[in-house]
Structures are given as C-alpha cells and as structure tokens.
Amino acid sequence: MGGKIPVGVLGATGMVGQRYIAYLAQHPWFEVSYVAASPRSAGKRYREAVENRWLIGADIPSGVADLPVHDANVFREAAGQCAFVFSALEMGKDEIRALEEAYAAEGIPVISNASANRWTEDVPMLIPEINPHHTDIIPIQQKRRGWDKGFIAVKPNCSLQSYMIPVHALRQAGYPVRQMIVTTMQAVSGAGYPGVPSFDMIDNVVPFISGEEEKTEQECLKIFGTVSGNKIENAALPLVSSHCNRVPVIDGHTACVSLSFDLPDGKKPSLEEIARVWTAFRGFPQEAGLPSAPAQPVIVRTEPNRPQPRRDRDADKGMAVTVGRLRPCNVFDIRFVALSHNTKRGAALGGILNAELLKAKGFFDGL
C-alpha cells in the first residue's frame, strides 16, 4: 500500500461508489483495498461487476479493476482488509442504518454519504469548514454503543452545500442569520443512475424532489448545532423555507438565497463587507492543508450573470462554492446566487474530505 491507509467502499458499483473509486485513485493518504456491493455483484472482479455501466468517463483505476467484489451485507469480511469504509449504499434507510452500525461494531469506522444516520443524535453530520468540532461526539458515540475503534460520521445532503459555507462565514464574522428562503435548481446527477427519465427532464423543470425540501430546511440546524452531553443539540436559527427543483443540468446545484440577519439595522453588514467576509473565509481544512480542500472555500464573482454550472462547478477541484449576484433584497436584507458541484463537494469528494478531517484529528490512529 506504499504507506497509505487501506480503505473500503460500500456500494462500490453505484454512481457515488464509482466516484469514490475514481477520486481515491491518486489520493496521497488513502488507497482502495476492499470493495463491496449487492449480492448479485459479489464474487465478480470489480471490472466485471461494472462492465457496461462504468459512468465516470476515465478508465477504471488499475489498482481496483481486479479486486474481488464482496457482499456488503457480510460486514465481517471487511475486517483486516481495510482500516475504514466509505458508505455509498443504496438500499432502504433502516437497512443502511443497521448495516453501518454493524460495520462500526466490528471496529470499522464508517464515513457515510447515506441519509440513514444523519438524524442519529450522536452521529456528526460534517461540513469540515463549518463544524469540525462536532467530531467531539465520536468518543461519546463509541462509549454509548460499546464500540472500540468503530464509529459513524456522515455528510449532509448535497443541496445544502452551495450556500451553507457562505452562511456560516457570515455567522462566524458576527452576522447571525435569522431566516432564509432558498430555491434550489438541482442537477440530474443528484438523482443517481439511471435517474429521472429523459422524457420527464428534457425541455422541462420538475418542481418536486422527494424529501429534499425537508432536508434543506432541517439539516442546517444540526450542522450549526452544538455538542451537548450525549448528543448534538440543533441550533434554533436560521429558519429556512425552501423550494427544490430538478433542472436539465448534468452537474452543479444552484441555489437562489434571500436572507435576513438577526441584527438591528445599524449592525447589519454592507454588501462590501459581506463580499470581504466570504473572500477572506478559511476553515479547518484550509488551515490543516487537507488534500481535497479548496484553497479558497468561497469564490465571489462580480459579473452579473455568474455563477453558472458549466462555467463554475469545477472551481478548485469542484470543491469551492461560487457565489454571485449579491444585492439588496426588497423583502429580506440580501439575496445572492450560490453554486456547488453536487457530485464532488456534495457527494464522494465531500466524503473524502470528511475522512481527511477525521485523519487529521487522529481518529484513524492505531487502526
């Protein structure tokens, strides 16, 4: 392994799992040593299991192509073959929750993309620039469950990624946000593969994505919350009202945001101050030099027609958030447009950044 940490990917044949395989191919810290998927793929070589459905574009990384695919349900097979696993499982929430807990109980940490454990009160839901301190709950989680080395950490829904870091930067600078209206225009890749039928998507906008509005309105409160006792207490603000739409864009979730500050008029920031705060913002991943972190988490565009998915989604490895159209709001205080890459920042590469955060904080020491 050349000194790299051996890792596994659960759900390795699906779209998110394939992206994990691709993004980890050249990772300086981690190397894929174990892949697992559904029973129908078990026993095949990885290249055989994804034959005719490798979706990432580049060739399957040579170090993974001939790995045997294991049955993800047989969690004990991972022991001794990898230090921790990325979970990109695609099954019912109850099944995912039970299986992730089984891996953790076996002593294998789980870094999950799935939503099954996002609302488990002692499981951190991480955006490393915002709440790296939520990893403090992990020893409490282990003690409560009787787990030794295993634990579970998750990433939030991809629809939050475009605007959460800009909002956090304002809060951290002393400008708390009271309420927001968020309208998302979400790419079709967010629906997985094969996703939304082409007849429903071409020349169309679908104004409903099951569960997305609830996730958009609620997950931010856990991310902005605090570790208290044996659980993470949700923040009280901001109040969020959302509209989530599927649009005919391959990659890149766009959000139109209007917000008001929880401050008297004389204390609210100017547009110039907001742009300065966003441009200057850095978080733990930048301070620690984590490999997948963008050098500048928030990129401010001043052109009247930016950001745009085709022009801005790949900014800084696809891990930066691009904001633009910052202007006064006639109803709230300000409005702006934000964009992030939903399958990079919002999915597999965001999960890898979470793993880098956990490594930097020592949670993989001794595995």
Side-chain angles (χ1 to χ4, degrees), residues 88-216:
L89 294 166
E90 298 177 2
M91 53 178 69
K93 285 187 179 182
D94 291 342
E95 296 173 283
I96 292 174
R97 186 180 300 110
L99 196 51
E100 291 182 347
E101 290 176 354
Y103 276 89
E106 193 67 19
I108 302 169
V110 179
I111 291 83
S112 182
N113 271 62
S115 63
N117 272 301
R118 286 180 188 159
W119 285 106
T120 305
E121 63 182 13
D122 59 359
V123 171
M125 182 161 51
L126 300 169
I127 297 179
E129 284 88 351
I130 298 177
N131 60 342
H133 56 288
H134 280 196
T135 57
D136 293 345
I137 198 72
I138 290 175
I140 298 169
Q141 177 194 130
Q142 292 172 316
K143 183 177 180 180
R144 291 180 73 189
R145 313 295 186 88
W147 297 342
D148 180 15
K149 297 179 179 179
F151 60 84
I152 301 171
V154 303
K155 59 164 292 301
N157 192 49
C158 56
S159 66
L160 279 73
Q161 305 284 335
S162 58
Y163 59 87
M164 281 291 287
I165 294 177
V167 170
H168 167 69
L170 293 171
R171 286 164 48 97
Q172 182 174 276
Y175 305 117
V177 175
R178 177 168 179 76
Q179 55 191 354
M180 303 193 299
I181 293 181
V182 179
T183 300
T184 65
M185 293 168 281
Q186 298 180 212
V188 294
S189 57
Y193 181 84
V196 184
S198 59
F199 192 83
D200 291 334
M201 202 67 260
I202 296 172
D203 189 35
N204 200 24
V205 171
V206 180
F208 174 73
I209 308 172
S210 180
E212 288 293 298
E213 291 175 355
E214 293 83 357
K215 294 171 185 175
T216 299

Side-chain angles (χ1 to χ4, degrees), residues 24 37 41 90-91 99 118 159-160 172 191 222 229-230 256 261 292 333:
L24 289 165
S41 295
E90 298 177 2
M91 53 178 69
L99 196 51
R118 286 180 188 159
S159 66
L160 279 73
Q172 182 174 276
K222 183 174 183 179
N230 291 331
C256 298
F261 293 103
S292 299
D333 290 323

Side-chain angles (χ1 to χ4, degrees), residues 3-35:
K4 295 182 180 182
I5 298 174
V7 305
V9 179
L10 311 181
T13 59
M15 178 178 278
V16 175
Q18 290 182 27
R19 291 186 184 279
Y20 270 117
I21 299 295
Y23 298 152
L24 289 165
Q26 303 299 325
H27 197 278
W29 295 354
F30 310 135
E31 188 167 0
V32 177
S33 63
Y34 183 86
V35 291

